[in-house]
Amino acid sequence: MAFELPQDELHQSSNQSSNPEGDYPASDDFFLLMSMALDDMLSQEESERFHRYMEQDPSLAAEWQRWQVFDGDLQQEPLVEPPADFLTKLNLRLDDEIPAADEFFLWMSLALDGQLSKEEEVRFHGAMEEDPILANEWQRWQSFDNHLSNQPSAMPAMGFVERVNASLTLELRRRKLWLAASVGITVATVWVVVAVALFLVGSYMVTNQGIWLGDQVQNLAYLVSSVREWFTTVGLAIGRSLNVTLSYPQMWGMVLGYVMISGLILAMWTRLLHRSVLKSSALQGTVAAS
């Protein structure tokens, strides 16, 4: 007898179980295998795989035992035969008074969680009053919900959280140590390679390129001397030009005017920036308060 059950715990057990060989089925596949096993429809190969899955994961074996218990409880329920004219009534009354199967299942789920609105609750009870099959299905759902609620909760062993936190801290420290060691080894290797390369290049140039190296040193010395002479000449020319220019009173007036205008612009810009900062702080305070 196949039936559907909430699969949250099954998904968690299947997703959280470790499987180094990649031989675990997905939750939907294992759900199908359990349903086929209850109906004795498994082939020899599927049966072997089914039992091998449960041997590799005790949580799957526990889930299979619960399914067997639920199947036994359901088989003991009395079979309710629909009325002879049930299909005719169902075909003739496809309106809002008789809800679709998916809608009624949604109402049952909401009713178990206490989330039905008043209007939905009235329609829900009205549908059960008009159809004994729906009322019987609701009783089975309540019985199944009570059975699940009475199941003992699985609690972890004492100190489980502390051991996990300690393991995570140790693993984090180990990763940081490996990272630091890797960076240190890489830097040391690069430094050694560069030092050896420079030593080899220098030795080759000193040994085989002595004349060329001497010419390059002379060229570098001449370049440095030329740059220094150029800066000296330019500096003297600029100094003479300034002395001649500043000897006129009109030039001093222009310099003072430029300094005053520059100071005024700088003061206005500073004040504008200060006001912008104050407005931004006030706006952030208003947003935080709201």
Side-chain angles (χ1 to χ4, degrees):
M1 177 179 180
F3 52 91
E4 296 185 0
L5 293 175
Q7 303 181 39
D8 294 342
E9 297 181 359
L10 181 57
H11 278 280
Q12 294 176 0
S13 62
S14 298
N15 293 333
Q16 294 176 356
S17 59
S18 60
N19 178 24
E21 299 179 358
D23 199 21
Y24 284 92
S27 59
D28 293 339
D29 295 336
F30 190 76
F31 174 86
L32 177 61
L33 289 175
M34 287 195 296
S35 180
M36 294 174 64
L38 291 176
D39 294 334
D40 295 329
M41 297 175 60
L42 288 177
S43 64
Q44 182 65 26
E45 180 182 356
E46 291 172 338
S47 179
E48 293 177 358
R49 290 177 56 236
F50 180 59
H51 288 87
R52 183 167 67 252
Y53 296 150
M54 292 188 292
E55 291 175 358
Q56 293 175 350
D57 191 343
S59 62
L60 298 181
E63 188 68 22
W64 169 237
Q65 292 179 358
R66 292 181 60 187
W67 273 56
Q68 289 177 309
V69 173
F70 297 152
D71 183 65
D73 292 343
L74 291 177
Q75 289 182 357
Q76 294 177 3
E77 294 289 336
L79 183 61
V80 177
E81 293 291 343
D85 58 344
F86 174 75
L87 294 179
T88 303
K89 290 170 57 181
L90 184 62
N91 292 328
L92 294 176
R93 301 182 60 187
L94 290 177
D95 51 21
D96 293 339
E97 297 182 0
I98 303 296
D102 293 340
E103 187 178 11
F104 188 78
F105 289 153
L106 177 61
W107 288 348
M108 288 195 295
S109 179
L110 293 175
L112 290 176
D113 297 332
Q115 297 183 2
L116 276 178
S117 63
K118 293 183 178 180
E119 180 182 356
E120 291 174 338
E121 187 173 357
V122 171
R123 296 181 61 191
F124 177 59
H125 290 286
M128 289 189 294
E129 292 176 358
E130 296 182 3
D131 193 337
I133 297 179
L134 298 181
N136 183 70
E137 186 69 18
W138 169 237
Q139 292 178 358
R140 294 177 60 187
W141 272 54
Q142 288 179 308
S143 176
F144 178 69
D145 182 70
N146 294 331
H147 187 78
L148 289 180
S149 301
N150 294 329
Q151 293 294 320
S153 301
M155 299 297 293
M158 296 295 296
F160 174 76
V161 177
E162 289 76 9
R163 289 195 298 271
V164 171
N165 291 334
S167 300
L168 293 177
T169 303
L170 182 61
E171 181 65 21
L172 182 60
R173 291 179 180 176
R174 186 182 295 111
R175 290 183 179 180
K176 290 183 178 179
L177 180 61
W178 276 106
L179 179 60
S182 302
V183 173
I185 293 174
T186 303
V187 172
T189 302
V190 172
W191 184 85
V192 171
V193 171
V194 172
V196 172
L198 292 176
F199 175 76
L200 293 177
V201 172
S203 300
Y204 174 77
M205 294 181 64
V206 171
T207 304
N208 300 321
Q209 303 291 333
I211 299 176
W212 178 84
L213 184 61
D215 294 339
Q216 298 303 320
V217 172
Q218 291 179 1
N219 293 334
L220 181 61
Y222 176 75
L223 179 62
V224 172
S225 178
S226 300
V227 171
R228 183 174 56 186
E229 184 67 22
W230 183 83
F231 275 108
T232 302
T233 304
V234 172
L236 290 175
I238 293 175
R240 291 173 184 176
S241 299
L242 288 176
N243 289 332
V244 173
T245 302
L246 294 177
S247 62
Y248 297 98
Q250 295 85 350
M251 185 58 64
W252 280 104
M254 293 177 62
V255 171
L256 291 177
Y258 175 77
V259 172
M260 291 177 62
I261 293 174
S262 300
L264 181 61
I265 293 175
L266 181 61
M268 294 176 62
W269 179 80
T270 304
R271 183 178 179 183
L272 178 62
L273 181 62
H274 180 67
R275 293 178 61 184
S276 300
V277 172
L278 291 178
K279 288 182 178 180
S280 178
S281 301
L283 181 60
Q284 290 180 359
T286 304
V287 173
S290 60

